[in-house]
Short mmCIF file of all heavy atoms in Angstrom, two decimals:
data_model
loop_
_atom_site.label_atom_id
_atom_site.label_comp_id
_atom_site.label_asym_id
_atom_site.label_seq_id
_atom_site.Cartn_x
_atom_site.Cartn_y
_atom_site.Cartn_z
N GLY F 1 -58.52 -62.06 7.17
CA GLY F 1 -58.70 -62.82 8.40
C GLY F 1 -58.83 -64.31 8.16
O GLY F 1 -58.76 -65.10 9.10
N GLY F 2 -58.98 -64.71 6.91
CA GLY F 2 -59.05 -66.13 6.60
C GLY F 2 -57.66 -66.76 6.57
O GLY F 2 -56.65 -66.06 6.48
N TYR F 3 -57.62 -68.08 6.62
CA TYR F 3 -56.34 -68.77 6.53
C TYR F 3 -56.53 -70.24 6.17
O TYR F 3 -57.58 -70.82 6.39
CB TYR F 3 -55.54 -68.65 7.83
CG TYR F 3 -56.18 -69.29 9.06
CD1 TYR F 3 -55.94 -70.62 9.39
CD2 TYR F 3 -57.01 -68.55 9.90
CE1 TYR F 3 -56.49 -71.19 10.52
CE2 TYR F 3 -57.57 -69.12 11.03
CZ TYR F 3 -57.32 -70.44 11.33
OH TYR F 3 -57.89 -71.01 12.45
N PHE F 4 -55.46 -70.80 5.59
CA PHE F 4 -55.36 -72.23 5.33
C PHE F 4 -54.46 -72.85 6.40
O PHE F 4 -53.48 -72.23 6.83
CB PHE F 4 -54.71 -72.50 3.97
CG PHE F 4 -55.57 -72.23 2.77
CD1 PHE F 4 -55.04 -71.66 1.62
CD2 PHE F 4 -56.91 -72.57 2.76
CE1 PHE F 4 -55.81 -71.43 0.50
CE2 PHE F 4 -57.70 -72.34 1.64
CZ PHE F 4 -57.15 -71.76 0.52
N ARG F 5 -54.75 -74.09 6.78
CA ARG F 5 -53.83 -74.83 7.66
C ARG F 5 -54.07 -76.32 7.48
O ARG F 5 -55.21 -76.77 7.38
CB ARG F 5 -54.02 -74.46 9.13
CG ARG F 5 -52.98 -75.12 10.05
CD ARG F 5 -53.01 -74.54 11.46
NE ARG F 5 -54.12 -75.05 12.23
CZ ARG F 5 -54.10 -76.20 12.93
NH1 ARG F 5 -53.01 -76.95 12.92
NH2 ARG F 5 -55.15 -76.58 13.62
N LEU F 6 -52.95 -77.06 7.44
CA LEU F 6 -53.01 -78.52 7.36
C LEU F 6 -52.45 -79.10 8.66
O LEU F 6 -51.24 -79.04 8.90
CB LEU F 6 -52.18 -79.04 6.18
CG LEU F 6 -52.62 -78.62 4.78
CD1 LEU F 6 -51.71 -79.25 3.73
CD2 LEU F 6 -54.08 -79.01 4.52
N PRO F 7 -53.29 -79.66 9.52
CA PRO F 7 -52.80 -80.20 10.80
C PRO F 7 -52.30 -81.63 10.74
O PRO F 7 -51.86 -82.18 11.76
CB PRO F 7 -54.04 -80.11 11.69
CG PRO F 7 -55.18 -80.30 10.74
CD PRO F 7 -54.75 -79.67 9.43
N GLU F 8 -52.33 -82.26 9.57
CA GLU F 8 -52.10 -83.70 9.49
C GLU F 8 -50.73 -84.14 9.98
O GLU F 8 -50.61 -85.05 10.82
CB GLU F 8 -52.32 -84.18 8.04
CG GLU F 8 -53.77 -84.38 7.65
CD GLU F 8 -54.49 -83.06 7.37
OE1 GLU F 8 -53.85 -81.98 7.39
OE2 GLU F 8 -55.72 -83.12 7.14
N VAL F 9 -49.67 -83.56 9.45
CA VAL F 9 -48.32 -84.01 9.82
C VAL F 9 -48.07 -83.83 11.32
O VAL F 9 -47.56 -84.77 11.98
CB VAL F 9 -47.25 -83.30 8.97
CG1 VAL F 9 -45.85 -83.56 9.53
CG2 VAL F 9 -47.33 -83.79 7.52
N PRO F 10 -48.40 -82.70 11.93
CA PRO F 10 -48.24 -82.60 13.38
C PRO F 10 -49.08 -83.61 14.17
O PRO F 10 -48.76 -83.91 15.33
CB PRO F 10 -48.68 -81.16 13.69
CG PRO F 10 -48.37 -80.41 12.45
CD PRO F 10 -48.71 -81.37 11.35
N LEU F 11 -50.16 -84.13 13.56
CA LEU F 11 -50.94 -85.17 14.20
C LEU F 11 -50.32 -86.55 14.06
O LEU F 11 -50.74 -87.50 14.70
CB LEU F 11 -52.37 -85.22 13.63
CG LEU F 11 -53.35 -84.14 14.09
CD1 LEU F 11 -54.63 -84.25 13.29
CD2 LEU F 11 -53.64 -84.27 15.57
N GLY F 12 -49.32 -86.67 13.15
CA GLY F 12 -48.64 -87.95 12.99
C GLY F 12 -49.01 -88.71 11.74
O GLY F 12 -48.64 -89.89 11.61
N ILE F 13 -49.77 -88.08 10.83
CA ILE F 13 -50.14 -88.77 9.59
C ILE F 13 -49.69 -87.92 8.39
O ILE F 13 -49.38 -86.74 8.53
CB ILE F 13 -51.66 -89.03 9.48
CG1 ILE F 13 -52.45 -87.74 9.69
CG2 ILE F 13 -52.08 -90.09 10.47
CD1 ILE F 13 -53.95 -87.90 9.51
N ASN F 14 -49.65 -88.56 7.23
CA ASN F 14 -49.29 -87.83 6.01
C ASN F 14 -50.47 -87.02 5.52
O ASN F 14 -51.63 -87.31 5.85
CB ASN F 14 -48.84 -88.80 4.91
CG ASN F 14 -49.98 -89.68 4.43
OD1 ASN F 14 -50.68 -90.31 5.23
ND2 ASN F 14 -50.18 -89.73 3.12
N MET F 15 -50.21 -86.00 4.71
CA MET F 15 -51.29 -85.27 4.04
C MET F 15 -51.64 -86.04 2.79
O MET F 15 -50.81 -86.22 1.90
CB MET F 15 -50.85 -83.84 3.69
CG MET F 15 -51.95 -83.03 3.01
SD MET F 15 -53.43 -82.93 4.05
CE MET F 15 -54.70 -82.58 2.84
N SER F 16 -52.88 -86.50 2.71
CA SER F 16 -53.29 -87.34 1.58
C SER F 16 -54.34 -86.61 0.75
O SER F 16 -54.22 -85.43 0.48
CB SER F 16 -53.77 -88.70 2.09
OG SER F 16 -54.79 -88.55 3.05
N TRP F 17 -55.36 -87.34 0.33
CA TRP F 17 -56.44 -86.83 -0.52
C TRP F 17 -55.90 -86.33 -1.86
O TRP F 17 -56.51 -85.48 -2.49
CB TRP F 17 -57.24 -85.74 0.19
CG TRP F 17 -58.11 -86.27 1.30
CD1 TRP F 17 -57.94 -87.46 1.96
CD2 TRP F 17 -59.24 -85.64 1.89
NE1 TRP F 17 -58.90 -87.60 2.92
CE2 TRP F 17 -59.72 -86.51 2.91
CE3 TRP F 17 -59.90 -84.45 1.67
CZ2 TRP F 17 -60.82 -86.19 3.69
CZ3 TRP F 17 -61.01 -84.14 2.46
CH2 TRP F 17 -61.47 -85.00 3.45
N ARG F 18 -54.71 -86.85 -2.27
CA ARG F 18 -54.12 -86.51 -3.57
C ARG F 18 -53.90 -85.00 -3.73
O ARG F 18 -53.94 -84.46 -4.85
CB ARG F 18 -55.01 -87.04 -4.71
CG ARG F 18 -55.41 -88.53 -4.55
CD ARG F 18 -54.31 -89.45 -5.02
NE ARG F 18 -54.50 -90.84 -4.61
CZ ARG F 18 -55.15 -91.77 -5.32
NH1 ARG F 18 -55.72 -91.45 -6.47
NH2 ARG F 18 -55.21 -93.01 -4.90
N SER F 19 -53.69 -84.31 -2.62
CA SER F 19 -53.66 -82.84 -2.65
C SER F 19 -52.28 -82.24 -2.85
O SER F 19 -52.16 -81.10 -3.31
CB SER F 19 -54.26 -82.29 -1.35
OG SER F 19 -53.54 -82.80 -0.23
N ILE F 20 -51.21 -82.97 -2.53
CA ILE F 20 -49.88 -82.37 -2.58
C ILE F 20 -49.50 -81.92 -3.99
O ILE F 20 -48.95 -80.81 -4.15
CB ILE F 20 -48.83 -83.33 -1.97
CG1 ILE F 20 -49.01 -83.35 -0.44
CG2 ILE F 20 -47.41 -82.90 -2.34
CD1 ILE F 20 -48.04 -84.23 0.29
N PRO F 21 -49.77 -82.68 -5.05
CA PRO F 21 -49.44 -82.16 -6.38
C PRO F 21 -50.20 -80.87 -6.71
O PRO F 21 -49.65 -79.96 -7.35
CB PRO F 21 -49.83 -83.29 -7.33
CG PRO F 21 -49.78 -84.52 -6.49
CD PRO F 21 -50.22 -84.09 -5.14
N ARG F 22 -51.46 -80.79 -6.29
CA ARG F 22 -52.23 -79.57 -6.56
C ARG F 22 -51.64 -78.37 -5.81
O ARG F 22 -51.53 -77.27 -6.35
CB ARG F 22 -53.69 -79.78 -6.16
CG ARG F 22 -54.42 -80.86 -6.94
CD ARG F 22 -55.89 -80.90 -6.56
NE ARG F 22 -56.60 -81.97 -7.28
CZ ARG F 22 -57.04 -83.09 -6.71
NH1 ARG F 22 -56.87 -83.29 -5.41
NH2 ARG F 22 -57.67 -84.00 -7.43
N ILE F 23 -51.26 -78.60 -4.56
CA ILE F 23 -50.67 -77.51 -3.78
C ILE F 23 -49.33 -77.09 -4.37
O ILE F 23 -49.03 -75.89 -4.49
CB ILE F 23 -50.53 -77.93 -2.31
CG1 ILE F 23 -51.90 -78.20 -1.68
CG2 ILE F 23 -49.79 -76.86 -1.50
CD1 ILE F 23 -51.85 -78.86 -0.32
N THR F 24 -48.52 -78.06 -4.76
CA THR F 24 -47.22 -77.76 -5.35
C THR F 24 -47.38 -76.95 -6.63
O THR F 24 -46.63 -76.00 -6.88
CB THR F 24 -46.45 -79.05 -5.65
OG1 THR F 24 -46.31 -79.80 -4.43
CG2 THR F 24 -45.06 -78.75 -6.20
#
């Protein structure tokens, strides 16, 4: 029942916090 979601791009901003390399 848990889930991950990143709302940033639909809000109009980039996903930051240096997280994209970790996710990739």
Side-chain angles (χ1 to χ4, degrees):
Y3 63 90
F4 287 141
R5 186 169 77 86
L6 297 181
E8 280 77 5
V9 169
L11 283 173
I13 54 176
N14 67 309
M15 181 58 202
S16 54
W17 288 21
R18 310 279 166 91
S19 57
I20 287 181
R22 297 185 182 109
I23 296 170
T24 303

